[in-house]
Amino acid sequence: MHPVQKNVLLSTGNGTPRISLSRPSGDRLLVSLSGDWTLSRELPSTQDVEQSIRSSEAPQKLVFDSQDLGAWESGLLTFLLKIRELCDREQIPLEDDGLPPGVRRLLALATAVPERKGARKEKRSEGFFTTVGSSAIAFWESFQEMLAFIGEAAVAMGRLLTGRARFQRSDFLKLLQQCGAEALPIVSLISMLVGLILAFVGAVQLRMFGAQIYVASLVGIAMVRVMGAIMTGVIVAGRTGASFAAELGTMQVSEEIDALKTLGIPPMEFLVLPRMLALMLMMPLLCLYADLMGILGGLIVGVLMLDLNVMEYFQKTRESVTMVFLWIGLFHGAVFGVLVALSGCLRGIQCGRSASAVGQATTSAVVTSIVSIIVATAIITVVCDVLNI
Amino acid sequence: MEQKPLQQVQPHIVVQNLTMAFGSFVLQRDLNFTVNRGDVFIIMGGSGCGKSTLLRHMVGLQSPAAGRILYDGTLSFWDAEAEARDRIMRRIGILYQSGALWSSMTLSENIALPLREYTALREEEIREICALKLALVGLSGFEDYYPSEISGGMKKRAGLARAMALDPDILFLDEPSAGLDPISSRLLDDLILELRSSLGATLVVVTHELASIFTIGNNSVFIDADARTMIAQGDPKVLLAESRNPTVHNFLTRGGGGT
């Protein structure tokens, strides 16, 4: 890994770890250990020992001499374990009397608990069809889980309407603040910039026909009908959806959700329902706010770049943005709120029991939210088209 | 891991006038004690008295409000240069209360990380050392398991294997037997004792398990939440026999001493 450093360490003095082999009597092989066997030094290999064990005059017994052994660490132990394995394979008895007592005890400890049968994981390579099949099954199962979750959420909603759902008012109010008021700064920034960009891009084209005033219609309709809701949805997915998933996931890891279940409090009512309600209420409000900010962004471009009059811009916006558009926009918002809350809570509740699982849950929550927002927008748009609104 | 004569008393960690505080809230003040080389040093006291916080101060996770912690009898941890501090940190191993294994890595990767960072060993050697450390704690064959796939007791032992990865001089154990059944906890105590006597390392153990305190400890400090300071120190067996302090006596006899 670091060859240079290694050489420096190797060249230091006489503590270099060494082994020497001798045959004090015909049937015994004496392994003499010397030097400091620390992790920072290059340790001798077991090859010499292996050779002399496998030679034509194989020894009957292996003994050690550690008189010149200095400091030692794990390296010595791994070396000795390898020799022991070798001896076991060749069925040569090994006498560890010559080793320091600490080494002997650690060796005994390392071999005290035999490997549990079947514990070791085998690496299996799966065929193409197995992989495709199992991922298809996994997909189907996660789809079923999602449906079950949505069903449970609907049931919980029903319980809420009949006044039998259990959750804490204080939690709900805190959630309202967290996903509503605290999101205002980022929603202002993003929506105003989106309005600005829309107006800017539109202005360049419309100016060619002298139709600058229609920038107001463009920005107004786009923001109110769909863009305000989508931008808010994406912001809330990244901000609130991710936080729901991370919070519920961590609660899963620390067994807090289990604690609720065993108390007979359904997590669906206690945790998911207030989050869903909070987002359902706050999303349309955030949407409305985003619409205003977007129109303000368009106004800035209209006044500064196209020399439009403020009143003129306002009038044109009022003319082109009908109440129907506003209701459609707010409907988008409410739907997105439910979708984001459901994806965040679903992934959080499904979360595994480790730190990395929380990360995966959060990622997957944001991805699910954004995908479902876009799909929902497409569906609503088509439906509106069919209904001629 | 050098074998040091255990009889010869050498101070390893010296705590001088240590005051621990969170902001203006003083948790403990005027702690003075010495951990000698080769000791199994117990930090004991009731819940919430600051045992774990004391441990965090000793391993350099939290800085003292006042006082010093000397390593090897001379080097003051918090006054030392960053480099010297790193050197000290590298010579200590810590077993956290819940094991604190990195959940995204397998057991052998958990043990290999410090080896990869701080030694120039080859992958082959690192693999052998990981296998050895896991074998020492009785987890042979579990190299490729993730922490989420093994039981709580196994996590503790794997955590111990990771704490020993770099062959530390000092092992800090935070509640090693908490959450284990009596037999597992006894086996862990045996393992700790066996490892200490063969490795020759100094052990600092935070615990309130009486069985552990008496079987493994040969020196201790007792800190008290009400007094906000230490109220006893020494061999726990001697403390049991001789301490006149009612709190200490009550604690060590499980409230059965009667005062």
Side-chain angles (χ1 to χ4, degrees):
Chain A
M1 224 173 174
H2 312 289
V4 180
Q5 194 188 347
K6 215 169 202 173
N7 286 337
V8 173
L9 288 170
L10 275 180
S11 62
T12 48
N14 40 17
T16 314
R18 276 206 192 84
I19 54 165
S20 57
L21 303 175
S22 57
R23 288 285 183 96
S25 60
D27 59 344
R28 284 199 305 168
L29 177 66
L30 176 68
V31 182
S32 310
L33 307 163
S34 61
D36 294 331
W37 290 61
T38 52
L39 288 179
S40 51
R41 291 164 188 278
E42 178 99 8
L43 299 179
S45 86
T46 52
Q47 228 164 25
D48 294 344
V49 184
E50 200 168 345
Q51 264 170 14
S52 58
I53 285 183
R54 294 232 169 100
S55 66
S56 49
E57 307 165 49
Q60 300 299 311
K61 195 184 263 179
L62 200 103
V63 290
F64 292 98
D65 172 27
S66 58
Q67 290 215 317
D68 298 327
L69 179 65
W72 53 270
E73 289 180 342
S74 307
L76 177 64
L77 293 174
T78 52
F79 175 84
L80 291 172
L81 279 177
K82 269 191 279 182
I83 291 190
R84 164 174 263 174
E85 221 171 87
L86 202 66
C87 289
D88 284 350
R89 228 182 302 138
E90 303 289 326
Q91 298 193 324
I92 300 169
L94 177 145
E95 239 172 48
D96 59 4
D97 295 354
L99 295 171
V103 176
R104 282 202 327 250
R105 281 206 299 270
L106 280 178
L107 278 184
L109 199 57
T111 46
V113 181
E115 196 175 311
R116 200 189 289 176
K117 267 190 195 139
R120 197 171 285 278
K121 281 188 178 173
E122 281 166 37
K123 286 206 176 71
R124 281 178 301 162
S125 66
E126 288 172 335
F128 172 73
F129 290 107
T130 323
T131 320
V132 172
S134 46
S135 40
I137 292 172
F139 179 78
W140 174 240
E141 276 171 359
S142 80
F143 183 68
Q144 278 178 319
E145 264 177 55
M146 201 191 285
L147 285 185
F149 188 84
I150 294 173
E152 272 182 61
V155 172
M157 226 17 157
R159 288 179 70 88
L160 176 80
L161 293 180
T162 54
R164 284 179 302 154
R166 277 186 280 182
F167 61 83
Q168 289 178 315
R169 248 175 78 93
S170 57
D171 280 357
F172 177 62
L173 294 178
K174 218 184 286 168
L175 281 165
L176 278 183
Q177 183 185 349
Q178 272 172 15
C179 50
E182 286 174 16
L184 287 178
I186 179 133
V187 171
S188 317
L189 180 74
I190 305 273
S191 327
M192 197 190 295
L193 285 179
V194 168
L196 245 139
I197 293 164
L198 275 177
F200 196 81
V201 174
V204 175
Q205 300 298 319
L206 292 170
R207 201 150 49 172
M208 289 195 283
F209 311 101
Q212 292 97 318
I213 187 63
Y214 286 101
V215 163
S217 310
L218 171 74
V219 173
I221 295 175
M223 284 309 292
V224 172
R225 186 165 172 142
V226 69
M227 281 309 280
I230 291 192
M231 291 323 293
T232 318
V234 172
I235 294 166
V236 169
R239 207 183 157 274
T240 313
S243 106
F244 286 175
E247 190 181 353
L248 296 192
T250 312
M251 287 179 80
Q252 188 72 267
V253 172
S254 55
E255 298 178 319
E256 290 172 49
I257 291 186
D258 295 346
L260 281 176
K261 280 187 195 158
T262 47
L263 262 182
I265 302 174
M268 185 57 81
E269 284 175 26
F270 196 79
L271 298 172
V272 178
L273 201 56
R275 285 173 171 71
M276 214 160 68
L277 276 182
L279 266 191
M280 231 162 80
L281 287 177
M282 282 300 127
M283 267 296 289
L285 294 183
L286 283 177
C287 260
L288 198 64
Y289 180 74
D291 295 346
L292 285 177
M293 282 295 151
I295 292 172
L296 189 65
L299 180 74
I300 292 172
V301 172
V303 170
L304 295 184
M305 214 180 106
L306 304 171
D307 298 324
L308 295 173
N309 183 306
V310 177
M311 277 322 286
E312 199 183 358
Y313 190 97
F314 177 68
Q315 203 55 44
K316 190 71 194 167
T317 305
R318 265 191 69 172
E319 232 169 72
S320 38
V321 179
T322 61
M323 276 314 274
V324 175
F325 290 170
L326 183 72
W327 289 124
I328 291 178
L330 294 187
F331 177 69
H332 272 100
V335 171
F336 295 167
V338 175
L339 289 176
V340 169
L342 275 180
S343 336
C345 295
L346 168 73
R347 299 305 180 200
I349 297 264
Q350 282 177 341
C351 179
R353 295 189 180 270
S354 69
S356 45
V358 176
Q360 282 163 9
T362 314
T363 311
S364 145
V366 175
V367 172
T368 317
S369 312
I370 292 179
V371 169
S372 53
I373 285 176
I374 300 302
V375 172
T377 312
I379 295 174
I380 297 175
T381 311
V382 171
V383 170
C384 287
D385 189 56
V386 171
L387 297 177
N388 275 328
I389 40 177
Chain B
M1 217 195 268
E2 280 166 72
Q3 291 290 80
K4 301 228 163 57
L6 297 180
Q7 298 86 343
Q8 193 187 335
V9 175
Q10 261 181 316
H12 205 163
I13 312 170
V14 181
V15 172
Q16 286 180 341
N17 301 322
L18 177 71
T19 296
M20 309 190 289
F22 294 108
S24 59
F25 173 73
V26 176
L27 194 61
Q28 289 285 330
R29 60 163 60 86
D30 298 329
L31 300 179
N32 280 293
F33 58 88
T34 301
V35 180
N36 292 315
R37 235 170 237 284
D39 265 357
V40 178
F41 191 91
I42 311 272
I43 299 174
M44 54 185 169
S47 300
C49 66
K51 300 188 293 289
S52 293
T53 313
L54 175 57
L55 192 83
R56 289 172 63 83
H57 278 80
M58 291 172 83
V59 301
L61 285 172
Q62 224 163 315
S63 63
R68 299 194 301 171
I69 295 169
L70 306 179
Y71 270 81
D72 296 320
T74 48
L75 185 64
S76 171
F77 186 86
W78 290 101
D79 302 325
E81 307 267 311
E83 208 183 313
R85 273 217 287 254
D86 276 356
R87 252 198 325 273
I88 297 175
M89 299 271 271
R90 220 170 290 174
R91 300 306 302 158
I92 64 185
I94 307 165
L95 168 61
Y96 292 92
Q97 237 178 75
S98 55
L101 294 165
W102 298 301
S103 58
S104 57
M105 302 181 205
T106 62
L107 297 192
S108 67
E109 283 166 349
N110 261 285
I111 301 171
L113 182 71
L115 291 167
R116 287 210 183 98
E117 290 294 312
Y118 293 124
T119 66
L121 296 172
R122 290 188 299 270
E123 276 307 301
E124 169 75 13
E125 294 167 316
I126 289 184
R127 214 168 38 77
E128 283 165 6
I129 291 180
C130 292
L132 167 76
K133 300 289 173 186
L134 284 175
L136 282 177
V137 297
L139 286 176
S140 292
F142 286 91
E143 280 87 347
D144 296 329
Y145 279 65
Y146 284 93
S148 53
E149 299 172 324
I150 57 175
S151 74
M154 287 158 91
K155 272 185 212 165
K156 275 265 161 74
R157 281 184 283 151
L160 185 60
R162 185 182 71 185
M164 297 189 305
L166 288 170
D167 293 325
D169 290 336
I170 313 172
L171 260 179
F172 290 92
L173 312 174
D174 193 357
E175 310 251 359
S177 44
L180 297 184
D181 65 83
I183 298 173
S184 305
S185 119
R186 166 81 200 283
L187 288 176
L188 191 72
D189 281 350
D190 288 350
L191 177 66
I192 289 169
L193 272 190
E194 186 58 43
L195 287 172
R196 190 205 66 104
S197 64
S198 32
L199 300 174
T202 305
L203 253 60
V204 178
V205 187
V206 169
T207 184
H208 44 216
E209 298 268 317
L210 287 179
S212 293
I213 291 175
F214 293 121
T215 19
I216 64 176
N218 72 337
N219 198 354
S220 69
V221 61
F222 190 105
I223 55 180
D224 185 47
D226 297 328
R228 300 253 171 105
T229 186
M230 49 191 277
I231 52 176
Q233 63 174 323
D235 188 326
K237 290 179 259 322
V238 177
L239 284 184
L240 174 66
E242 293 174 4
S243 176
R244 301 219 186 286
N245 188 310
T247 315
V248 178
H249 192 75
N250 253 337
F251 184 92
L252 292 177
T253 55
R254 229 188 220 173
T259 43

